[in-house]
Amino acid sequence: MTTGVSARLVARTRRVDAPHDVRDALAQLGTDGFAWIDGDRAIITSGTAVRVPAALASEALRAIDTPDTDTDTDSGAASSPTGTGPIACGALTFDNTRDAPLAIPARVLRIDGDRATLTEIEGARASAPPPWSHVPRRFVVEALQDLAAWDSAVAAALARIDDGALSKVVLAREVLVEADTALSPVDVLARLHTTQAGCFVFAASRDTQQWFVGASPELLVRRCGDLVESRPMAGTVARGATEAADALAIETLDTSPKQRAEHQLVVDAVIDALTHHCDAVVADAPEAVRLTALTHLATRIRGVVRDGSSALDIALALHPTPAVGGTPATAARDAITELEAFDRGCYAAPVGWVDAHGDGEFAVALRCAELDGPRARLLAGAGIVAGSDPDDEWAETQTKLEPMLRALVRP
């Protein structure tokens, strides 16, 4: 595995039969692979041709030769049009001062409904599927921060908000799960796909045992041709147990000044960042998006890229939004460092893929876990603004932890 492109790479793309279902597709995932599932669209990779710093990913992709191949047997189209060909993929880190590497996979299976293509880089080997362990039967779940520690951190954040140093800061907490045998990333991905409709389900390998997996509802950026889209989320309530309770929860979300103000902070920041790269930036009205356990306020924001920025370039410019960091950004980052006292790793960072055309998709890595053999580290956060109640924010993190806990802990 290298950290730069030392020799000219050649990638060829061809049509293949689409897998029958998600389990069939995930059978193509390598031990050093990447998975991205959005409804009936998916990207599953295996093997690593080269690993490059994120800042060099676009240059490395453009340097790959993509001779004509049979990607469209009906029209005879050339290889590697938008939507096919080699990609750079992976999860970055929340700390955007680090230059996290991305992988250019040896083998990329791309699925779009009943259509599938396979891109392979000549001379680069695919890797074997992750080992399938015995199904765990015993679990230990441990919250690393207790309620008293959480209350103290929230109180310190609110003091900074009262002093005018902050408008918002997102505080996260950790939960550890330990099983009696190694946790299977394929099994976790399949469960998340089944239970977390409306989310981007993802996995990025670190080595044969270490994986970063999750199911995020939040689109950081999508670029397709010149069109750019983001859908930030901020403002959250738990789903109601009945239709009537659910409707009341949504009404509370829609009419809450606190929730609306928190959401608008994020929308304004995303619009500001996009205007540095895009023309005709417009935002729809906020809408309530209902997921399995939570309802979020979300706003769809669109623009037309004017400076050739790739999806990765724009993701790096947007991160971290106030939805996962806070505002002002520097003061929020300082508060997170001081009040959380642990490394977020890839939590709340961009995760996704980009191709040689600059097209791609990145989500905010939420509802996620770091898997390391039989152990998993889960993180979840809540936005602290003026008027936040520590107990309510703790309950919000509990609800955000539930999707991953359900995918992991199945006695």
Side-chain angles (χ1 to χ4, degrees):
M1 189 180 299
T2 61
T3 56
V5 180
S6 58
R8 191 76 168 179
L9 301 178
V10 177
R12 298 184 183 276
T13 301
R14 57 189 172 88
R15 288 285 296 274
V16 295
D17 293 335
H20 297 296
D21 53 31
V22 168
R23 285 278 188 184
D24 190 22
L26 288 174
Q28 310 300 311
L29 181 67
T31 51
D32 55 356
F34 170 82
W36 178 266
I37 307 171
D38 177 19
D40 64 354
R41 298 187 306 120
I43 291 174
I44 309 292
T45 82
S46 174
T48 301
V50 65
R51 192 173 290 275
V52 296
L56 301 178
S58 295
E59 178 185 349
L61 287 168
R62 289 193 295 267
I64 299 173
D65 285 335
T66 53
D68 290 354
T69 54
D70 186 19
T71 61
D72 191 332
T73 55
D74 297 326
S75 64
S79 71
S80 298
T82 297
T84 66
I87 63 170
C89 56
L92 304 181
T93 56
F94 181 80
D95 181 356
N96 56 9
T97 63
R98 304 180 195 172
D99 196 355
L102 295 177
I104 297 179
R107 186 177 188 272
V108 179
L109 175 65
R110 191 187 301 259
I111 305 159
D112 190 355
D114 60 0
R115 184 181 187 276
T117 61
L118 182 66
T119 298
E120 295 175 296
I121 293 182
E122 293 183 356
R125 291 186 177 182
S127 54
W132 187 271
S133 65
H134 297 292
V135 177
R137 286 289 180 261
R138 295 192 304 275
F139 303 87
V140 176
V141 180
E142 179 185 7
L144 294 190
Q145 294 81 33
D146 62 19
L147 189 55
W150 175 260
D151 288 349
S152 176
V154 172
L158 288 172
R160 298 186 189 204
I161 291 170
D162 290 342
D163 290 343
L166 287 170
S167 296
K168 172 186 176 180
V169 63
V170 177
L171 296 181
R173 66 185 183 96
E174 302 169 288
V175 170
L176 294 185
V177 174
E178 182 145 6
D180 58 354
T181 190
L183 298 160
S184 164
V186 171
D187 198 24
V188 174
L189 283 168
R191 290 173 185 164
L192 290 173
H193 178 259
T194 299
T195 60
Q196 300 304 306
C199 291
F200 301 99
V201 176
F202 60 85
S205 170
R206 296 179 175 181
D207 63 26
T208 55
Q209 281 204 324
Q210 294 182 330
W211 288 80
F212 182 61
V213 300
S216 175
E218 186 166 357
L219 174 67
L220 183 62
V221 64
R222 174 186 293 122
R223 203 198 97 166
C224 184
D226 291 337
L227 301 180
V228 172
E229 180 180 351
S230 180
R231 193 176 74 157
M233 292 181 166
T236 303
V237 293
R239 292 288 304 270
T242 65
E243 283 294 326
D246 210 26
L248 180 60
I250 292 173
E251 181 181 354
T252 301
L253 181 65
D254 283 338
T255 58
S256 166
K258 171 186 173 293
Q259 301 277 19
R260 284 283 179 167
E262 182 180 350
H263 183 73
Q264 196 60 47
L265 284 173
V266 180
V267 171
D268 290 345
V270 171
I271 290 173
D272 180 65
L274 286 182
T275 55
H276 289 83
H277 301 274
C278 300
D279 292 323
V281 176
V282 294
D284 295 345
E287 62 176 339
V289 175
R290 292 193 288 185
L291 301 170
T292 304
L294 294 166
T295 298
H296 299 286
L297 279 179
T299 293
R300 184 183 180 207
I301 304 170
R302 290 159 291 164
V304 179
V305 69
R306 67 167 179 270
D307 60 1
S309 294
S310 70
L312 177 58
D313 294 331
I314 298 172
L316 292 171
L318 287 169
H319 175 71
T321 73
V324 293
T327 186
T330 299
R333 183 174 63 246
D334 292 344
I336 288 168
T337 300
E338 294 172 26
L339 299 177
E340 286 184 352
F342 58 83
D343 186 350
R344 286 189 174 190
C346 298
Y347 166 70
V351 57
W353 61 274
V354 64
D355 68 14
H357 304 275
D359 289 352
E361 294 176 303
F362 285 85
V364 181
L366 305 171
R367 317 295 193 268
C368 53
E370 299 169 353
L371 307 185
D372 186 0
R375 290 170 292 280
R377 183 175 80 124
L378 290 65
L379 294 96
I384 310 303
V385 297
S388 287
D389 178 82
D391 290 343
D392 291 344
E393 306 300 346
W394 177 272
E396 182 176 318
T397 63
Q398 287 179 315
T399 305
K400 289 176 176 177
L401 288 163
E402 285 177 6
M404 184 57 71
L405 285 170
R406 285 198 300 270
L408 291 169
V409 180
R410 295 173 63 86

